[in-house]
Amino acid sequence: MAARLAARNMGLRLVQVLLVAVAAGAPAAHAWREEGHYMVCKIAEVTEHELQSFLTIEASAAVTSLLPGWAGGELAATCSWADDERRRYPWSGALHFADTPGDCQFFYDRDCHNTKGEKDMCVVGGINNCTAALMNSSAPLVDPTISLMFLAHFVGDIHQPLYCGNTVDFGGNTIIVHWYNTTTTNLHRVWDLDIIEKAMKDFYNDDLSIMTQVIMQNITEAWSEEEREWEACSSRTKTCADK
């Protein structure tokens, strides 16, 4: 109960932190498979040699208290969990993306639904719902640890461009491309994995920790303002993830 009470004010804060982390990586890549999700969360939770602190002491303690034992006290270790457990939670599949009809605009009431037309079933809805669950200590049926792991994952997903793509091509999954004129793949996978692997190999000696540190150094000037924009969200009960 103490952990859940501590998490009450942590939900929106964590969304803000994660948004800053993914924005900082924008110039290099938006690849969000295991490596991308790990970097997003590692930047959000960094405590050693940090360039700036994103989580308050209270929020950091709340996050740590909610982590499963197998995470070893590391939020980043859990951030691919939502992909790994899709079969266990088949209803969560629609919560990873928010495709639109091709007009490059997102309207929650029109676009946030699954293939059955069920409302709130998109990544924006997932972020809103998981944040609300973390803020509501009186929701006995909601496991705050599950909410935290879903939330951390969804905020990464929403910043991969083709998770907010077109319904007609399933977010780029049906667009066949040739990666560096050799490998036949699809556009979604290029953004999801190939870009980040290529960047790691060519610029960071295949070292994920070095790439993470370089992205952290980009959280300056314009990127650092992202946090303030989210803190200024007009609603204190919703995440404003529509933006």
Side-chain angles (χ1 to χ4, degrees):
M1 178 60 71
R4 296 188 62 182
L5 289 173
R8 181 178 179 84
N9 295 320
M10 180 265 291
L12 286 175
R13 178 63 177 168
L14 183 60
V15 172
Q16 294 157 4
V17 169
L18 291 167
L19 286 166
V20 174
V22 291
H30 292 278
W32 304 129
R33 287 216 178 172
E34 182 175 354
E35 296 85 356
H37 282 291
Y38 181 89
M39 287 193 293
V40 168
C41 291
K42 194 63 179 176
I43 292 169
E45 72 174 343
V46 66
T47 56
E48 296 181 3
H49 312 296
E50 62 263 45
L51 299 177
Q52 54 183 313
S53 178
F54 293 116
L55 288 177
T56 64
I57 295 175
E58 293 80 9
S60 180
V63 168
T64 300
S65 70
L66 292 178
L67 293 175
W70 52 263
E74 183 181 30
L75 175 65
T78 73
C79 289
S80 294
W81 171 88
D83 279 340
D84 298 336
E85 297 292 336
R86 281 203 191 196
R87 290 187 177 181
R88 183 179 178 184
Y89 302 97
W91 50 266
S92 72
L95 299 179
H96 293 253
F97 62 94
D99 291 343
T100 66
D103 55 8
C104 293
Q105 298 184 72
F106 174 78
F107 299 102
Y108 190 93
D109 291 340
R110 181 192 70 177
D111 301 321
C112 194
H113 59 79
N114 60 17
T115 56
K116 297 179 180 179
E118 296 172 327
K119 297 294 184 179
D120 304 318
M121 298 298 288
C122 74
V123 68
V124 179
I127 290 173
N128 289 341
N129 291 337
C130 290
T131 301
L134 285 169
M135 295 176 68
N136 182 8
S137 60
S138 63
L141 299 180
V142 179
D143 185 333
T145 295
I146 299 298
S147 296
L148 172 65
M149 294 192 293
F150 270 130
L151 174 62
H153 184 91
F154 293 155
V155 175
D157 275 347
I158 203 171
H159 285 82
Q160 201 274 54
L162 295 178
Y163 278 94
C164 297
N166 296 332
T167 53
V168 68
D169 56 44
F170 297 95
N173 275 288
T174 63
I175 299 177
I176 304 303
V177 297
H178 295 283
W179 182 243
Y180 279 84
N181 297 320
T182 55
T183 304
T184 300
T185 182
N186 67 72
L187 189 60
H188 189 101
R189 180 186 169 90
V190 166
W191 279 103
D192 226 19
L193 180 65
D194 296 334
I195 289 176
I196 200 167
E197 287 189 340
K198 179 68 172 173
M200 284 180 60
K201 178 180 179 181
D202 290 358
F203 304 114
Y204 306 108
N205 196 31
D206 277 333
D207 192 321
L208 187 63
S209 63
I210 294 177
M211 188 171 182
T212 304
Q213 292 172 15
V214 170
I215 292 176
M216 286 173 58
Q217 293 172 359
N218 285 333
I219 308 179
T220 58
E221 299 177 358
W223 298 122
S224 63
E225 295 300 316
E226 293 285 326
E227 181 181 3
R228 295 182 183 177
E229 291 180 13
W230 279 80
E231 287 181 336
C233 176
S234 59
S235 171
R236 301 308 297 171
T237 58
K238 295 183 179 179
T239 65
C240 294
D242 303 51
K243 297 180 181 180

